[in-house]
Amino acid sequence: MKSSAVRRSTTTAVLAASLVASLALAGCAKSESDEAGDSATATGSGGGQVVATPGAGKTATCTVDQFGGTKSDLADATVGFSQSEKEANPFRIAETASIKAEAKRRGVKLLTANAQSQFSKQISDVQDLIAKGADLLVIAPLNSDGWGPVLRAAAAKKIPIVTIDRKINATACKDYVSFIGSDFIEQGSRAADQMIEATGGKGKVAILLGAAGNNVTTERTKGFKDRIKEKAPDLDVVFEQTGEFAREKGQQVTEQLIQSNPDITGIYAENDEMGLGAVNALKSAGKKPGAVKIVTVDGTRNAVRSIVDGWISGVIESNPRFGPLAFETLDTFTKGDKVDQDIVIQDSAYTGENAKADLDKAF
């Protein structure tokens, strides 16, 4: 059985090799609806994900024996990938492109489905992937709850599940194997730090909340509010409303915000798309760049460019390039070695100091 140090070294090497393939295929990434702009820049040149968790032995782990399955060879398997949202969002475009690129690099048969932001469709999508012969599943969940039908169908066939980006409320190493994603509370805390720096720690702040029903929104909100309460008691959160992780909705909510709170100091948008919607609303209202400080989360090219243009103060990265790490986790697990139940990745950040130089790293 591998030691954690060996596994991390293996993972690093695999990720480095996988990155080459991912970048080679980045130019092939394309929105299903072709609404997301230039596909050649869809995934950016940023690096693959790096694991931030301390490694096996320090966090809960899972093996195929504990899960109740049997060892297998990933190269001979069919992997089913369920995407949650319509690929008009650069995060989803980059995420899907990364999964497809890694499957192709490894020569693994991949079945894909997109729920188009409809949870009932995602449930039927995954059931269909199982019916089509998926041996392993990678799921980007739309919601955290309501996965009973899928989990029962997967359990009946002992199909391992890895969730990426968002968690499902189920039992690790029983209902699913591992979750791979960011520390969303930490992302919210870091966003608060950037808001405090941008505003001087004084004024009125609004939060454009993400979609309800998933851990990302809950945890990014908690991290932000707790850090503001701890470090900037003179910065008041006076407005909270969901923008549903969508640009158009973010713009609509911000238009309402600046009507009800014309003296708003800052806006924390829990993803870039809502932040860019806020920028559009402020432009329409005749505001100047920087008049309202905006901090967002993701690291899309358009958001990072808006830092350069002075509209956004900072962006906390949420790296969507899950392919290499997801397949490495499945490979390790199916061989019979232990994998962490929670695999937390490191995220960087964009500010006025590095946005221009690092623009090509954004996705």
Side-chain angles (χ1 to χ4, degrees):
M1 189 170 292
K2 294 178 180 179
S3 69
S4 59
V6 170
R7 187 167 55 258
R8 284 197 297 274
S9 297
T10 301
T11 298
T12 301
V14 169
L15 294 182
S18 300
L19 177 60
V20 175
S22 297
L23 295 177
L25 291 171
C28 298
K30 193 171 185 177
S31 166
E32 289 184 346
S33 60
D34 288 336
E35 293 176 355
D38 182 5
S39 62
T41 60
T43 61
S45 63
Q49 295 171 332
V50 176
V51 177
T53 47
K58 296 183 179 179
T59 63
T61 59
C62 184
T63 66
V64 69
D65 290 337
Q66 291 173 299
F67 184 73
T70 57
K71 296 179 184 178
S72 61
D73 187 344
L74 178 62
D76 298 328
T78 297
V79 175
F81 172 59
S82 170
Q83 177 58 277
S84 57
E85 298 177 4
K86 184 178 180 179
E87 294 177 17
N89 181 331
F91 183 96
R92 298 300 171 190
I93 296 171
E95 184 178 63
T96 298
S98 178
I99 294 290
K100 289 181 176 179
E102 184 63 13
K104 185 172 184 177
R105 189 189 76 80
R106 289 174 174 266
V108 174
K109 182 180 179 181
L110 181 71
L111 305 175
T112 64
N114 190 307
Q116 305 290 321
S117 302
Q118 302 171 46
F119 186 60
S120 60
K121 183 177 185 307
Q122 186 165 37
I123 295 298
S124 63
D125 280 350
V126 180
Q127 291 172 324
D128 190 47
L129 291 171
I130 294 173
K132 289 179 177 177
D135 304 302
L136 306 160
L137 290 169
V138 178
I139 299 176
L142 183 64
N143 293 342
S144 296
D145 291 317
W147 285 93
V150 162
L151 298 179
R152 287 191 290 274
K157 295 188 175 183
K158 297 298 181 185
I159 297 175
I161 298 173
V162 169
T163 76
I164 58 173
D165 178 42
R166 296 176 184 172
K167 282 189 172 183
I168 60 175
N169 290 327
T171 303
C173 208
K174 173 179 175 291
D175 298 317
Y176 69 96
V177 173
S178 297
F179 157 75
I180 305 173
S182 299
D183 182 336
F184 303 114
I185 291 178
E186 178 65 14
Q187 287 180 338
S189 297
R190 295 174 68 196
D193 288 338
Q194 292 211 6
M195 182 63 75
I196 293 168
E197 182 175 349
T199 61
K202 297 180 180 179
K204 299 178 179 179
V205 174
I207 302 177
L208 301 186
L209 302 166
N214 66 79
N215 66 301
V216 178
T217 295
T218 303
E219 294 174 13
R220 283 180 182 169
T221 303
K222 175 177 172 51
F224 183 84
K225 295 174 76 171
D226 286 354
R227 185 62 63 88
I228 292 293
K229 183 178 181 180
E230 173 192 357
K231 290 192 170 181
D234 293 329
L235 200 56
D236 296 326
V237 177
V238 298
F239 181 98
E240 296 178 48
Q241 189 168 324
T242 182
E244 299 175 358
F245 287 136
R247 187 182 304 194
E248 182 178 328
K249 184 68 174 179
Q251 180 172 342
Q252 292 173 357
V253 173
T254 303
E255 288 169 351
Q256 298 168 13
L257 165 68
I258 55 182
Q259 288 291 324
S260 60
N261 294 272
D263 58 344
I264 197 74
T265 309
I267 297 174
Y268 165 47
E270 293 182 344
N271 81 342
D272 285 350
E273 285 299 289
M274 293 191 296
L276 292 168
V279 169
N280 290 341
L282 294 172
K283 287 180 177 177
S284 296
K287 300 287 187 180
K288 300 296 183 184
V292 177
K293 310 302 182 185
I294 300 175
V295 176
T296 71
V297 182
D298 268 352
T300 66
R301 188 174 180 84
N302 284 338
V304 177
R305 183 184 291 118
S306 288
I307 298 177
V308 178
D309 295 339
W311 284 100
I312 292 180
S313 299
V315 174
I316 305 302
E317 183 195 42
S318 194
N319 193 332
R321 303 173 181 93
F322 286 93
L325 191 53
F327 278 81
E328 171 64 12
T329 300
L330 291 174
D331 193 23
T332 301
F333 178 79
T334 53
K335 285 177 179 174
D337 294 328
K338 65 176 65 174
V339 297
D340 288 341
Q341 294 178 11
D342 286 306
I343 302 172
V344 180
I345 61 174
Q346 295 178 357
D347 295 310
S348 61
Y350 298 93
T351 67
E353 295 181 355
N354 68 351
K356 188 173 184 179
D358 291 346
L359 183 58
D360 287 341
K361 295 180 181 179
F363 54 90

